[in-house]
Amino acid sequence: MYTSAPTDTPRKTAWTVPMLADAKRDGRPLVMLTCYDAGFARTMDAVGIDLVLIGDSLGMVVQGHNSTLPVRVDDIAYHTACVARGLSKALLIADLPFQSDATPERALDAATALLQAGAAMVKLEGAGHKLEVIRFLVEREIPVCAHLGLTPQSVLRLGGYKVQGRDEAAAARLREDARAVQDAGASLLVLECVPNPVAAAITADLAIPTVGIGAGVQCDGQVLVLHDLLGVNSGHRRPKFVKDFLAEGGSIEGAFRAYADAVRERRFPDEAHSYAG
Ligand code: KIV
């Protein structure tokens, strides 16, 4: 079905899935970046980036599409295998692309391919019927990262890439969904484009760590898309939460270090790079 050559699983990594909960308990902020090839992966590993995501954002920043919807499981598996060859320490997370998680059985096939390509965890968007998918994968020994708030695979329904959870009812629904994905077995939760107070409340509610992108400094960690962090023009509007760390760091390695330091010292995101309410 999916065709990527298998990689050793688990890879010999310093980071393991149970360590995510330890980091939250110890108050250690998680530093996460997206990555798509071995060269950048090697540099991220050398700098001590904790979590590396093969995001379906690759559809936009690598393949040049105007959404993530055209991305296929084989695309993610290919880039996962490339990144896995460059990493020895970071935890590797791979996205389940559009509709590959529409049913538990489809998700199991896709997630198996991604773990065999070198991932240690898969990420999927949404709650609702995805709760059954999360439970199904976790019962079958596949660690899951959930993703709530702005879920880019919902762009057609949402009518664009917009901040989510702005009014009271929407914020309450997000908090319920966050508890539900944790109860279904997710080990990590990405919160995208959520007002700071809502993300802070969700982070306080949960035992699993939250990783924010446009969700404020009170999340347990932060993630950015590699191309955004380096100021690469990928042909799309730059959201408010994006910061060009290359300008500050002076080199690619310097940019990764500047980002990691800013996250660990809870200086990023500042008010200029988040949504107050
Ligand atoms: O696809 C992706 O890169 C992501 C991040 C923005 C979290 O989901």
Side-chain angles (χ1 to χ4, degrees):
M1 155 157 325
Y2 302 117
T3 52
S4 199
T7 298
D8 280 345
T9 304
R11 293 173 307 108
K12 293 192 184 72
T13 56
W15 269 94
T16 62
V17 172
M19 287 164 67
L20 296 171
D22 298 344
K24 173 148 184 158
R25 218 181 22 248
D26 299 346
R28 262 184 295 132
L30 294 165
V31 182
M32 177 161 156
L33 277 176
T34 71
C35 188
Y36 315 98
D37 71 35
F40 279 111
R42 215 167 282 121
T43 310
M44 288 182 194
D45 224 35
V47 163
I49 302 299
D50 302 317
L51 315 176
V52 167
L53 171 69
I54 320 310
D56 61 358
S57 52
L58 73 84
M60 298 172 82
V61 299
V62 176
Q63 297 174 331
H65 296 296
N66 65 6
S67 79
T68 59
L69 306 193
V71 177
R72 299 165 307 136
V73 175
D74 283 344
D75 298 329
I76 301 280
Y78 171 79
H79 288 278
T80 298
C82 295
V83 169
R85 287 183 208 112
L87 290 185
S88 60
K89 297 197 281 275
L91 190 81
L92 204 170
I93 305 169
D95 257 347
L96 287 173
F98 187 54
Q99 301 304 358
S100 68
D101 57 356
T103 66
E105 290 75 17
R106 287 184 67 157
L108 179 60
D109 278 351
T112 302
L114 300 183
L115 262 56
Q116 289 177 339
M121 175 179 267
V122 294
K123 177 165 80 59
L124 59 82
E125 296 184 5
H129 78 281
K130 300 290 181 70
L131 298 174
E132 188 193 349
V133 175
I134 296 172
R135 271 191 295 270
F136 192 84
L137 294 179
V138 172
E139 280 166 4
R140 284 157 185 78
E141 312 299 352
I142 296 179
V144 173
C145 170
H147 181 158
L148 296 174
L150 170 57
T151 47
Q153 292 173 17
S154 315
V155 63
L156 299 177
R157 176 175 60 79
L158 297 175
Y161 300 103
K162 301 171 187 166
V163 180
Q164 301 296 305
R166 276 210 193 268
D167 64 55
E168 234 175 81
R173 263 198 312 279
L174 258 181
R175 284 181 79 167
E176 259 173 49
D177 285 350
R179 285 192 211 100
V181 295
Q182 170 176 273
D183 293 348
S187 303
L188 187 66
L189 170 61
V190 167
L191 289 172
E192 179 165 355
C193 285
V194 172
N196 299 356
V198 180
I202 290 172
T203 300
D205 279 349
L206 301 187
I208 61 171
T210 59
V211 178
I213 174 162
V217 76
Q218 290 184 62
C219 291
D220 297 305
Q222 302 295 329
V223 56
L224 280 181
V225 170
L226 168 65
H227 293 57
D228 291 342
L229 171 127
L230 296 178
V232 176
N233 176 2
S234 42
H236 307 288
R237 187 183 59 83
R238 283 171 69 107
K240 183 184 182 199
F241 58 78
V242 164
K243 180 170 172 189
D244 175 354
F245 279 92
L246 185 57
E248 190 176 317
S251 67
I252 289 170
E253 195 173 318
F256 293 167
R257 278 192 207 287
Y259 167 66
D261 289 350
V263 172
R264 292 196 174 112
E265 290 160 19
R266 298 195 184 277
R267 286 184 283 106
F268 180 80
D270 55 15
E271 271 177 35
H273 296 93
S274 51
Y275 304 97

